[in-house]
Amino acid sequence: MQAKQCHVLLLGPTDDYIKKVQSCNVTVTILTELTRLTPWQQTQRNTVLLADLHDIPAILLMISDFHAKKPFDLVISFTEYGMEPAAIIGAILQIPGPSLRCSLICRDKLRTRQALIDTPQGNVPFSAVENHIKINEFINKYGLPIVVKPRFSTGSQQVNIINHTSDLLPDIDSTWLVEGFAPGKEYSCETFSIGGKHHLLAITEKQLGGNANVVEVGHKILPENIIDIALRQWIFKILDTIEMIDGIGHIEFKKENENFYLIECHNRPGGDRIWQLVELATGIDMITSYIDLLIGRTVNFLNKISRCAAIIYFQFPPGTVNNYWHLFNSPPQWIHWHQWIIKEKDEILPIIDSFHRYGGFIVDAESKEELEQRIAYVLNHTGVS
């Protein structure tokens, strides 16, 4: 008799996450919002439930009714908007899923700062603010530059860096977060925890750009990014403090000399397909490993490799597109993903957040030199005029 497939409830997924989860030989039911439902998702045979992911009572009523008829074995999300509802569903239905406490701490950037306030990792000054008076009080106490952002923002949306007293302050219609601007080069750590034991899988270098130089326009995993003991201990202390027990972690930080400064942390994979970079560079499949962990299968990272991988997003000057060119109709084998969304007569605007970019590509290589050569090759064969 054929064994019953594991029934997974997947919240707010992008197409790539659905494809990845489906490859794990499980039955998938999708809970998402109408605005997130893509044309490709509508062609699939998966059951799709539509709801406002912020309306927790409505979601719980819908999912509990569905669960009574077709029980779920686990609930997961890999996107920021889905983490809290997934954790709440798991706690209510008593099925494996994201930790509720960890999800609540990570989803709210103010709660994250508050959780770390009495630790060495809490070395960035911060405050909740409701108006410009509170922001100016913070500036008078800590000086400039500062960062002002919504507590629940994603993809660099509405992130404001204030460098001078003459800079305009953002309009605030709720409680926001103000924090000191951390110095140094930006990185992220990709982690995986099993029963409270943490594994540091990769360090990702960030390339920032866009209108205010806060939008991530590139990520690179390089073998020479040595994970030293100090960084490992610093990261693991954060994971312990946010109560990360099982699953994927993504911690963004800056490093200046020997000092580390936390930007934010998440109990999910990093955005921009970082999970794919980790798989190409290390051989570790974080998504499959997470599902295996929740199902109860053995997970280990004994066969880790050391290669390079990068995702690069295009940055073109503002203006009207009269012509464009690229090599994606017949790409080299070492291009593992690409996206080109520019057409003639499109108006290219400055990149203001991660949701307003114009495509990109993923490449891998055996060395940093080869990786840079491949990135340059693609960029030299793409453009607009």
Side-chain angles (χ1 to χ4, degrees), residues 287-341:
I287 307 304
T288 299
S289 295
Y290 183 48
I291 293 174
D292 286 343
L293 181 66
L294 294 183
I295 291 175
R297 299 170 182 159
T298 300
V299 176
N300 64 65
F301 307 116
L302 300 178
N303 299 317
K304 184 178 178 182
I305 61 176
S306 184
R307 301 180 70 252
C308 300
I311 183 168
I312 303 296
Y313 289 95
F314 298 115
Q315 297 188 84
F316 298 122
T320 303
V321 177
N322 296 309
N323 190 22
Y324 65 86
W325 55 94
H326 59 72
L327 45 60
F328 298 133
N329 292 328
S330 182
Q333 290 184 341
W334 38 264
I335 294 181
H336 297 274
W337 171 85
H338 59 82
Q339 182 186 54
W340 183 270
I341 60 175

Side-chain angles (χ1 to χ4, degrees), residues 102-274:
C102 186
S103 299
L104 293 174
I105 292 171
C106 291
R107 181 67 186 93
D108 182 343
K109 294 170 176 56
L110 176 61
R111 287 197 203 113
T112 304
R113 293 290 185 199
Q114 291 170 337
L116 294 162
I117 193 170
D118 294 324
T119 72
Q121 288 72 11
N123 57 350
V124 175
F126 72 94
S127 178
V129 292
E130 300 82 24
N131 51 52
H132 289 179
I133 294 175
K134 294 291 187 181
I135 296 176
N136 284 315
E137 289 176 354
F138 186 88
I139 293 173
N140 291 334
K141 184 174 183 179
Y142 296 105
L144 294 170
I146 61 168
V147 179
V148 185
K149 59 186 177 183
R151 294 167 59 179
F152 301 95
S153 65
T154 62
S156 302
Q157 287 183 309
Q158 296 180 283
V159 174
N160 299 265
I161 298 178
I162 309 301
N163 291 292
H164 309 285
T165 54
S166 59
D167 291 347
L168 291 176
L169 298 178
D171 293 329
I172 297 177
D173 56 4
S174 60
T175 302
W176 280 35
L177 174 66
V178 59
E179 58 192 18
F181 181 81
K185 183 173 176 57
E186 187 167 339
Y187 300 87
S188 69
C189 281
E190 321 313 327
T191 69
F192 199 102
S193 301
I194 305 173
K197 181 179 180 180
H198 311 306
H199 302 266
L200 187 44
L201 305 183
I203 299 178
T204 308
E205 289 188 14
K206 306 294 184 185
Q207 179 182 346
L208 301 180
N211 202 31
N213 205 41
V214 297
V215 183
E216 294 172 350
V217 294
H219 308 270
K220 297 178 184 177
I221 296 178
L222 306 173
E224 56 261 42
N225 282 342
I226 303 300
I227 302 173
D228 61 32
I229 294 175
L231 176 59
R232 188 184 300 272
Q233 292 176 342
W234 190 82
I235 293 296
F236 287 1
K237 176 63 176 178
I238 291 175
L239 294 172
D240 287 339
T241 304
I242 65 173
E243 303 184 39
M244 171 65 82
I245 305 298
D246 290 307
I248 299 168
H250 173 72
I251 299 177
E252 300 176 7
F253 67 99
K254 284 186 174 181
K255 181 180 181 182
E256 184 185 55
N257 299 322
E258 300 305 314
N259 299 313
F260 305 114
Y261 303 93
L262 177 70
I263 299 174
E264 57 187 55
C265 56
H266 303 280
N267 58 332
R268 58 166 178 81
D272 293 343
R273 306 177 74 95
I274 286 180

